Amino acid sequence: MANGTQRRPLPSSRSSGGETSAPPPVHAAFALWITAVVAGFFETVLMVGRLVSEGDTSAGELAGGLLLRMAVFSTAVLVAVQLRRGRNWARLTLAVGLGVLGTLSLVVEPLRWLADGRGPGDAFRDLGVVDVLFGASRVLHLSAVLTATVLMFRPTANAWFRARSTAAGRP
């Protein structure tokens, strides 16, 4: 540091099991992963409503898509809980699985839409309430994923995961 002092780790509190609790960036990342799941669920409800009202999708296709999404959402919550408990594998799984691959799945459709020759202004023409809700949810969803991914690798989070791995006898 500029004034010659060293940064000290934040004091850790003890959980009921005697383990140190996660530092604030990990708690915030956990909350953001849950926010992303809720936003994804909301987007799914909107999409199912649209597909059912348009009648363009069979019940089998709809059920398959819902099962896949519910499996992803459930797994994301379970892995986020493990993140909050200090499991580094959960941090890496969330970073790669949802931080990278999940983000790609969120942006591929808008990129395809632009690649088809449409301009950004076309996206705002003829917007309905569902479109605005979906867009706002998608922005929240993407922001939560990107911010959670960054927070999981903040210096205090890195130190905590490293200490948890060392305490558990893992390299």
Side-chain angles (χ1 to χ4, degrees), residues 32-33 36 98-99 102-103 106 140-150:
L32 287 166
W33 285 119
L98 297 180
T103 296
L106 294 176
L140 173 65
H141 189 161
L142 189 55
S143 299
V145 166
L146 295 175
T147 305
T149 301
V150 169

Side-chain angles (χ1 to χ4, degrees), residues 104-116 118 138:
L104 289 174
S105 76
L106 294 176
V107 299
V108 79
E109 185 179 333
L111 291 175
R112 244 189 241 152
W113 191 81
L114 290 170
D116 285 342
R118 297 180 184 114
R138 184 56 58 98

Side-chain angles (χ1 to χ4, degrees), residues 30-78:
F30 172 79
L32 287 166
W33 285 119
I34 299 304
T35 300
V37 168
V38 170
F41 180 79
F42 181 70
E43 292 161 25
T44 300
V45 169
L46 293 175
M47 187 60 72
V48 166
R50 175 172 277 162
L51 292 172
V52 167
S53 71
E54 292 174 354
D56 291 339
T57 305
S58 72
E61 290 173 325
L62 196 56
L66 283 172
L67 284 173
L68 176 63
R69 287 178 182 269
M70 292 306 115
V72 170
F73 297 154
S74 299
T75 301
V77 169
L78 293 172

